[in-house]
């Protein structure tokens, strides 16, 4: 991508259309949209992370970069200090590129961009810089799935692994619990575009991802996430997609104020979700165990379709 092309990417910030919110504020001149992000990058933490799915974390960790702020406003956010309260420090693309090279030198399997959506142009600039500095490991785009297809197309060739969420199958619930309009159509268009770019997951001999897409779905109490319909959509894209079906929901942040979300997920609810995925024919399902106590096991396992009825 040329300097002229970079300028074109930054043009999206003049009347910001980086994500489907399309706030239309001029971030180049200090404007701030709903995401509370301006022109400069802001990062909460950088370092090896071992809590992702096994093909992302591997044995040496994923080089996670947690970006501050978010274009969603989920009332149950587990990382609300970062996403909603904006915890973090300013960093330039040049400095961030150096941090990525350092993560590679530490042995991390990949660079994991966590919630990068609202910094799309700045992240593209960083990735172009870091490729010139010698980055060889895969780049993971780890997002909530509320993405602009136009912005994603500008990332083509720079992202090796897409790790998006499918959060909802109902726009009214997406607005109620995450404060966003049109999530379902935007999310499905984004998933389709991501899949077009990288297709199904490819792994090395150690089972660590090199390229492709892994989709996450957090099962919510009382089927707030519309799991069945969400999985039906994914199956229509490809039944070979790797699906991370998560049971780890815990009522945090403002969740206690909402009747449907003020309790934990039950084992029965999670089993129904897992059974639905198996019935739809997904071959590659990562499941999470649940404990009877208040704690959830973070470990992911490959679900065996033949052990669930």
């Amino acid at each position: 991508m040329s300097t002229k092309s970079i300028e074109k990417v930054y043009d999206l910030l003049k009347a910001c259309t980086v994500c489907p919110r399309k706030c239309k504020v001029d971030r180049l001149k200090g404007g701030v949209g709903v995401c509370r992000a301006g022109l400069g990058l802001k990062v909460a933490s950088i370092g090896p992370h071992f809590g992702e799915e096994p093909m992302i974390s591997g044995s040496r960790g994923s080089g996670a970069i947690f970006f501050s702020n978010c274009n969603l406003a989920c009332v149950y956010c587990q990382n609300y200090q970062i996403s909603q309260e904006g915890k973090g420090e300013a960093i330039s693309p040049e400095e961030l590129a150096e941090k990525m090279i350092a993560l590679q030198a530490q042995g991390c399997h990949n660079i994991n961009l966590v919630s990068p959506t609202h910094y799309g142009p700045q992240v593209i600039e960083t990735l172009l810089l870091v490729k010139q500095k010698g980055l060889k490991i895969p780049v993971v785009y780890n997002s909530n799935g509320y993405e602009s297809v136009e912005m994603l197309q500008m990332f083509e060739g720079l992202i090796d692994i897409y790790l998006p969420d499918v959060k909802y199958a109902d726009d009214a619930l997406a607005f109620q619990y995450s404060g966003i309009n049109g999530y379902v159509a935007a999310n499905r268009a984004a998933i389709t575009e991501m899949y077009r770019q990288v297709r199904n997951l490819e792994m090395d001999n150690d089972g660590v991802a090199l390229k492709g897409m892994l989709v996450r779905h957090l099962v919510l109490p009382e089927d707030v996430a519309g799991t069945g319909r969400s999985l039906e959509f994914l199956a229509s894209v490809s039944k070979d997609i790797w699906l991370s079906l998560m049971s780890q929901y815990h009522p945090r942040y403002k969740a206690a104020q909402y009747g449907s979300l003020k309790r934990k997920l039950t084992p029965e609810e999670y089993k129904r979700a897992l059974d639905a995925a198996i019935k739809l024919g997904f071959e590659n399902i990562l499941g999470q165990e649940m404990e009877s106590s208040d704690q959830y096991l973070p470990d992911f396992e490959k679900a065996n379709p033949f052990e669930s009825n």
Side-chain angles (χ1 to χ4, degrees), residues 63-300:
I65 299 167
F66 285 83
F67 291 94
S68 304
N69 302 312
C70 185
N71 65 336
L72 269 61
C74 300
V75 299
Y76 51 89
C77 183
Q78 309 295 290
N79 296 315
Y80 65 89
Q81 297 95 335
I82 297 171
S83 66
Q84 307 304 313
E85 297 177 356
K87 175 184 175 182
E89 302 293 335
I91 189 170
S92 70
E94 293 81 6
E95 291 169 328
L96 186 55
E98 291 295 339
K99 296 289 187 182
M100 291 179 178
I101 293 297
L103 289 170
Q104 177 173 261
Q106 289 179 56
C108 291
H109 294 287
N110 48 62
I111 298 299
N112 186 355
L113 306 172
V114 184
S115 299
T117 306
H118 46 296
Y119 294 115
Q122 300 95 318
V123 171
I124 285 178
E125 180 183 2
T126 303
L127 292 177
L128 291 172
L129 285 169
V130 79
K131 298 284 187 183
Q132 295 173 1
K133 292 177 181 293
L135 186 74
K136 303 297 183 185
I137 56 178
V139 175
V140 181
Y141 191 95
N142 181 346
S143 91
N144 58 42
Y146 191 53
E147 302 281 348
S148 158
V149 169
E150 180 185 13
M151 188 76 250
L152 288 173
Q153 288 171 344
M154 295 182 178
F155 274 103
E156 187 166 7
L158 295 173
I159 301 299
D160 301 287
I161 300 163
Y162 280 107
L163 183 57
D165 292 338
V166 173
K167 286 187 175 295
Y168 303 101
D170 184 288
D171 282 333
L173 295 176
F175 181 79
Q176 181 177 359
Y177 297 120
S178 293
I180 43 176
N181 289 304
Y183 178 85
V184 177
N187 176 249
R188 294 181 179 186
I191 294 289
T192 302
E193 172 61 22
M194 292 174 183
Y195 185 76
R196 181 194 69 78
Q197 289 185 25
V198 298
R199 311 296 290 183
N200 293 317
L201 210 58
E202 300 174 13
M203 292 177 270
D204 65 17
N205 293 333
D206 295 319
V208 178
L210 299 172
K211 183 181 179 182
M213 186 167 75
L214 168 64
V215 180
R216 287 172 169 164
H217 179 74
L218 177 64
V219 185
L220 295 174
E222 298 186 19
D223 200 28
V224 167
T227 296
R229 286 173 290 161
S230 294
L231 296 183
E232 286 172 2
F233 159 69
L234 287 177
S236 75
V237 177
S238 173
K239 293 181 181 180
D240 292 326
I241 285 176
W242 275 86
L243 171 65
S244 179
L245 199 62
M246 300 185 294
S247 66
Q248 66 197 45
Y249 174 76
H250 199 87
R252 297 211 176 123
Y253 193 34
K254 300 177 181 179
Q257 302 172 26
Y258 297 81
S260 297
L261 296 178
K262 64 173 148 184
R263 64 168 174 83
K264 299 178 297 178
L265 190 71
T266 67
E268 292 75 20
E269 286 173 319
Y270 183 66
K271 184 179 185 302
R272 282 197 294 271
L274 185 57
D275 288 346
I278 293 169
K279 186 175 181 180
L280 282 166
F282 285 98
E283 295 288 339
N284 302 309
I285 306 169
L286 290 173
Q288 282 183 307
E289 290 186 44
M290 296 181 66
E291 287 187 330
S292 58
S293 69
D294 287 342
Q295 299 299 315
Y296 288 82
L297 295 175
D299 300 325
F300 290 85

Side-chain angles (χ1 to χ4, degrees), residues 10 12-18 22-41 69 118-119 122:
Y10 269 89
L12 295 178
L13 296 173
K14 286 182 179 178
C16 190
T17 55
V18 165
K22 298 185 177 179
C23 292
K24 299 292 182 73
V25 299
D26 190 346
R27 290 171 62 184
L28 297 181
K29 294 184 178 179
V32 174
V34 176
C35 67
R36 300 168 300 283
L39 176 59
L41 285 167
N69 302 312
H118 46 296
Y119 294 115
Q122 300 95 318

